């Protein structure tokens, strides 16, 4: 039950008497939607939503209280949102080693306060030079079980350190050593393990026990830790100290040598050359208009931005808020739009440096209108009836004009960072490079390891996302920054593999269409459809019986699931108040200046 689930996290700031229309008189939304605030959200559900933190000055939100503290300390010390983002991300590497860190990669969007410009940085993992298209297939062409998920062969060349250093090099105000310092302290002095941490270690117990370095850090001679135990990570503290003195050491110095050597000894592909050649890439964000907001997100090699905008375009002018909260027509339209978008994802999305990705066509209003006409409001189309856009249509549209974590930071000046980064599965490949304390990713599984073979998240892919040396695996990470009339309006993101796009979509709709505050927007129950498998997930306890019945009658194949995602968001209201909220499904926090 979502209610029980949310209650479990009641240590987060829960509003016991929330009445969103009165608690958030100034929402991020314009006049158009104000009359529709939260119409029909059951009061018992509303009462479980987190209350946003509020500040006029600045805000840090992340998936772990200690990482949020690290970020807000930078803001207090005169740093900007970029300094705070680096400190938060490095702290996450220490306190959430199962979700993201310096052994992985990610994407960030930032807004420059001075110019209002929004930029996107790709520091995603890349395939090693020795990677090949069929590297996870046996001699008979069958997929080798778990080869892209567990062990050294699953690891892509990590980009987090290069990405964070690039962010800091361009924008940082505080010294690099100052932004690395909180993470060093957390690794050196240790921190208390939460229930959530223990759940993740239990889930990956077998693979952690197989790797000597991982076993030495994340177990006590093979015995699993318990909630409340203190975890000290000496090797990681030393690695962070080295990075603090010389960030290049990760790619060409001491740390790089240790990673390359570990790879060589255990059949991994990453060489010193792979690390030396790693570079983060500044990309143009992908932006589109929805209502009176301009929403920007990550372009390929993430599929997030393309499909977020595609779904919003297909929803188009349909006034969801007017239909009412969780109206079955509104939900059906959202789900059918998701189905179309994920079909296109499987066929067309990949690394734009290797394949042509039809971004403009997929995000065009004309294409969305065409796909909208296919949707029948009284019945689902089975996913085998829904195909990706065909070549002829792509040609026609050609000339048209033109286990993961998220953190969101806003500073006094309204610099904004919205960053999603990951090591992919829980504890990545389950590999720690000996002597470094770095948990290495299993991002290679985000490639289509064979056409039609589902990845960790059940996503299928095709040629566009086939493995090639130095290619970037396709992602679903969807950090967003939205503005209205050039002013910052909201930033958000979430982990959750294939569900990231639809989670961020619903947070954006909750804010922009349903006029919720940041706390309600990240708390509200979610649904998800990803074309294949042809199943509609509804969050347990989050949808009324009549709504579920109406969706069933249209033919939706419903599966009720415990909550997913671990989002966070920052909204700014019309009077300039910053609202920050972390998902009650996780243990994150928002702290205002
Ligand atoms: N590893 C999950 C994603 O990038 O979408």
């Amino acid at each position: 039950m979502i209610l029980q689930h949310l209650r479990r996290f009641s240590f987060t700031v829960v509003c016991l008497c929330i009445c969103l229309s009165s608690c958030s008189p100034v929402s991020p939304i314009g006049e158009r939607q104000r009359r529709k605030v939260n119409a029909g959200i059951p009061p018992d559900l509303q009462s479980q939503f987190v209350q946003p933190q509020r500040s006029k000055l600045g805000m840090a939100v992340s998936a772990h209280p200690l990482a949020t503290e690290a970020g807000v300390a930078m803001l207090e010390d005169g740093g900007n949102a970029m300094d705070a983002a680096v400190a938060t991300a490095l702290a996450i590497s220490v306190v959430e080693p199962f979700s993201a860190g310096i052994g992985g990669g990610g994407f960030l969007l930032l807004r420059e306060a001075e110019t209002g410009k929004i930029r996107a940085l790709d520091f995603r993992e890349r395939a090693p030079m020795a990677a090949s298209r069929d590297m996870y297939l046996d001699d008979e062409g069958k997929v080798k079980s778990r080869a892209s998920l567990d062990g050294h062969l699953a690891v892509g060349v990590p980009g987090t350190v290069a990405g964070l250093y690039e962010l800091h090099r361009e924008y940082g105000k505080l010294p690099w050593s100052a932004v690395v310092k909180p993470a060093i302290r957390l690794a050196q002095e240790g921190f208390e393990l939460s229930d959530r941490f223990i759940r993740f270690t239990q889930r990956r117990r077998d693979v952690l026990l197989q790797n000597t370095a991982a076993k030495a850090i994340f177990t006590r001679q093979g015995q699993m830790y318990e909630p409340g135990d203190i975890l000290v990570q000496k090797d990681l503290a030393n690695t962070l100290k080295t990075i603090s003195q010389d960030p290049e050491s990760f790619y060409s110095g001491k740390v790089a040598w240790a990673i390359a050597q570990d790879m060589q000894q255990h059949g991994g592909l990453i060489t010193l050359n792979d690390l030396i050649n790693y570079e983060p890439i500044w990309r143009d964000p992908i932006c589109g208009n929805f209502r009176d907001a301009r929403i920007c997100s990550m372009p390929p090699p993430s599929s997030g931005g393309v499909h977020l905008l595609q779904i919003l375009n297909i929803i188009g002018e349909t006034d969801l808020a007017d239909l009412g909260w969780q109206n079955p027509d509104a939900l059906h339209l959202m789900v059918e739009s998701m189905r179309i978008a994920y079909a296109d994802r499987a066929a067309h999305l990949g690394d734009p440096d290797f394949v042509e990705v039809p971004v403009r066509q997929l995000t065009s209003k004309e294409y969305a209108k065409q796909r909208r006409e296919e949707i029948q409001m009284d019945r689902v189309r089975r996913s085998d009836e829904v195909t990706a856009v065909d070549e002829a249509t792509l040609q026609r549209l050609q000339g048209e004009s033109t286990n993961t974590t998220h953190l969101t930071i806003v500073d006094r000046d309204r610099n904004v960072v919205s960053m999603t980064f990951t090591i992919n599965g829980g504890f990545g490949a389950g590999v720690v490079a000996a002597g470094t304390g770095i948990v290495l990713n299993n991002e290679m599984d985000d490639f289509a390891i064979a056409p039609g073979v589902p990845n960790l998240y059940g996503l299928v892919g095709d040629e566009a996302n086939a493995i090639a040396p130095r290619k970037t695996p396709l992602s679903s990470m969807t950090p967003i920054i939205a503005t209205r009339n050039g002013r910052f309006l909201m930033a958000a993101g979430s982990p959750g593999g294939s569900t990231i796009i639809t989670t961020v979509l619903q947070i954006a709709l909750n804010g922009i269409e349903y006029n919720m505050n940041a706390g309600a927007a990240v708390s509200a129950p979610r649904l998800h459809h990803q074309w294949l498998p042809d199943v509609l997930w509804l969050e347990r306890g989050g949808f009324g019986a009549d709504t579920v019945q109406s969706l069933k009658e249209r033919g939706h194949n419903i599966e009720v699931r415990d909550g997913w995602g671990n989002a966070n968001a920052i909204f700014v209201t019309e009077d300039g108040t910053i609202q920050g909220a972390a998902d009650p499904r996780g243990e994150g926090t928002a702290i205002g200046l």
Side-chain angles (χ1 to χ4, degrees):
M1 298 279 291
I2 185 176
L3 296 180
Q4 286 166 353
H5 193 73
L6 292 168
R7 257 178 223 124
R8 242 189 285 142
F9 299 105
S10 57
F11 63 88
T12 57
V13 187
V14 172
C15 175
L16 293 172
C17 56
I18 200 166
C19 169
L20 293 164
S21 48
S22 60
C23 283
S24 59
V26 216
S27 74
I29 311 308
E31 199 53 51
R32 182 176 171 276
Q33 270 91 26
R34 185 157 297 129
R35 65 197 155 82
K36 301 170 189 164
V37 177
N38 299 310
I41 302 181
D44 61 341
L45 197 56
Q46 286 188 38
S47 72
Q48 302 297 321
F49 291 170
V50 292
Q51 176 79 302
Q53 294 298 299
R54 292 182 167 87
S55 168
K56 289 271 185 186
L57 298 178
M59 182 78 64
V61 198
S62 86
H64 196 285
L66 296 170
T68 309
E69 278 171 25
V72 92
M74 298 300 112
L75 297 180
E76 279 163 357
D77 289 352
N80 58 19
M82 291 71 168
D83 292 312
V86 176
T88 308
L90 291 172
I92 283 284
S93 298
V94 180
V95 297
E96 266 209 339
F98 49 84
S99 79
I102 60 175
F107 299 109
L108 69 86
L109 244 68
L110 65 85
R111 175 180 185 272
E112 293 176 355
E114 213 174 302
T115 61
K117 189 171 173 193
I118 294 178
R119 299 181 73 195
L121 184 64
D122 163 2
F123 55 97
R124 174 87 157 157
E125 300 90 332
R126 323 267 181 235
M129 283 302 292
S132 58
R133 188 193 160 85
D134 296 336
M135 63 187 275
Y136 297 114
L137 304 184
D138 64 18
D139 293 343
E140 290 168 17
K142 294 205 182 96
V143 175
K144 292 184 215 160
S145 174
R146 298 200 68 83
S148 63
L149 287 168
D150 301 336
H152 290 71
L153 208 57
V155 184
V157 183
T160 297
V161 173
L164 296 181
Y165 189 59
E166 174 64 12
L167 176 68
H168 185 267
R169 194 186 61 72
E170 283 251 345
Y171 293 99
K173 273 170 72 182
L174 298 175
W176 172 252
S177 58
V179 296
V180 185
K181 202 169 166 188
I184 297 175
R185 190 177 47 76
L186 286 167
Q188 200 160 268
E189 294 175 10
F191 66 99
E192 197 176 306
L193 298 179
S194 63
D195 291 350
R196 184 161 175 266
F197 192 107
I198 300 304
R199 276 201 306 279
F200 274 93
T201 46
Q202 293 288 3
R203 265 183 228 156
R204 292 289 272 161
R205 182 177 182 276
D206 292 349
V207 72
L208 291 173
L209 289 177
Q210 273 170 32
N211 180 267
T212 310
K215 181 177 167 187
I217 298 166
F218 298 113
T219 73
R220 232 190 247 115
Q221 285 98 41
Q223 295 304 309
M224 303 313 280
Y225 281 104
E226 287 176 11
D229 284 345
I230 303 293
L231 181 69
V232 172
Q233 299 171 80
K234 285 217 173 79
D235 285 348
L236 184 58
N238 288 334
T239 296
L240 288 166
K241 278 183 205 163
T242 307
I243 290 170
S244 159
Q245 285 151 11
D246 174 18
E248 288 298 332
S249 61
F250 192 96
Y251 294 94
S252 55
K254 197 171 144 187
V255 184
W257 278 96
I259 294 172
Q261 197 178 25
D262 199 71
M263 283 284 150
Q264 200 183 15
Q265 282 171 0
H266 296 93
L269 299 185
I270 297 175
T271 62
L272 195 57
N273 244 348
D274 283 312
L275 291 158
I276 289 171
N277 285 319
Y278 184 89
E279 274 179 15
I281 303 171
W282 287 103
R283 299 188 185 273
D284 290 332
I286 174 165
C287 301
N289 298 327
F290 183 72
R291 309 296 184 244
D292 57 357
R294 182 154 184 81
I295 301 178
C296 294
S297 189
M298 203 61 214
S302 183
S303 60
V306 169
H307 298 302
L308 175 73
L309 294 180
Q310 185 184 8
I311 296 168
L312 289 170
N313 284 342
I314 297 174
I315 291 169
E317 286 307 304
T318 304
D319 193 334
L320 304 180
D322 204 43
L323 289 170
W325 168 249
Q326 290 194 347
N327 171 278
D329 282 343
L331 298 183
H332 178 76
L333 175 59
M334 280 164 62
V335 173
E336 293 302 283
S337 308
M338 291 172 187
R339 192 192 301 271
I340 291 167
Y342 278 82
D344 278 338
R345 183 192 190 280
H348 296 291
L349 269 280
D351 181 349
D353 299 334
F354 284 73
V355 292
E356 203 164 314
V357 184
V359 172
R360 269 190 291 126
Q361 297 94 316
L362 293 178
T363 56
S364 86
K365 300 265 186 198
E366 185 194 337
Y367 174 56
K369 190 162 168 275
Q370 178 189 319
R371 300 300 311 241
R372 172 75 171 81
E373 280 163 12
E374 292 171 12
I375 296 174
Q376 298 164 32
M377 289 308 289
D378 60 344
R379 66 170 279 264
V380 298
R381 290 181 308 152
R382 302 256 64 92
S383 286
D384 56 15
E385 298 172 65
V386 177
T387 52
V389 61
D390 57 46
E391 277 307 316
T393 308
L394 278 182
Q395 291 299 327
R396 190 174 55 74
L397 292 165
Q398 189 68 39
E400 193 180 87
S401 62
T402 79
N403 258 319
T404 308
T405 194
H406 182 82
L407 60 91
T408 319
I409 318 261
V410 176
D411 66 24
R412 270 169 228 268
D413 298 324
R414 300 296 187 263
N415 291 297
V416 183
V417 176
S418 179
M419 179 192 304
T420 313
F421 62 118
T422 188
I423 50 172
N424 198 27
F427 285 97
V431 167
V432 171
T436 68
I438 302 169
V439 181
L440 294 167
N441 67 84
N442 58 356
E443 218 68 58
M444 292 295 285
D445 187 63
D446 271 348
F447 281 113
I449 55 174
V453 173
N455 74 358
L456 182 61
Y457 308 103
L459 288 167
V460 290
D462 218 325
E463 205 49 47
N465 191 29
I467 305 172
R470 299 190 73 175
K471 193 174 173 185
T472 308
L474 183 60
S475 173
S476 298
M477 290 189 273
T478 315
I480 59 164
I481 295 181
T483 55
R484 178 184 293 128
N485 301 326
R487 293 182 63 195
F488 170 59
L489 178 68
M490 67 164 65
S494 180
S498 57
T499 64
I500 294 174
I501 304 170
T502 59
T503 292
V504 176
L505 167 81
Q506 287 164 89
I507 292 169
L509 286 173
N510 289 344
I512 295 170
E513 181 76 357
Y514 292 107
N515 200 19
M516 293 184 194
N517 67 33
V522 298
S523 305
R526 298 178 185 139
L527 53 72
H528 173 73
H529 198 293
Q530 60 181 52
W531 182 54
L532 292 177
D534 191 350
V535 178
L536 169 59
W537 293 1
L538 297 182
E539 190 165 0
R540 195 180 304 285
F543 295 80
D546 291 350
T547 305
V548 175
Q549 184 56 30
S550 173
L551 290 170
K552 274 190 183 152
E553 279 164 12
R554 292 167 211 234
H556 288 283
N557 183 15
I558 290 173
E559 193 176 307
V560 175
R561 290 213 165 195
D562 290 333
W564 58 88
N566 187 15
N568 55 64
I570 293 179
F571 292 3
V572 174
T573 61
E574 285 166 12
D575 72 347
T577 305
I578 304 167
Q579 302 177 343
D583 201 323
R585 298 162 187 83
E587 60 184 350
T589 49
I591 303 179
L593 259 191

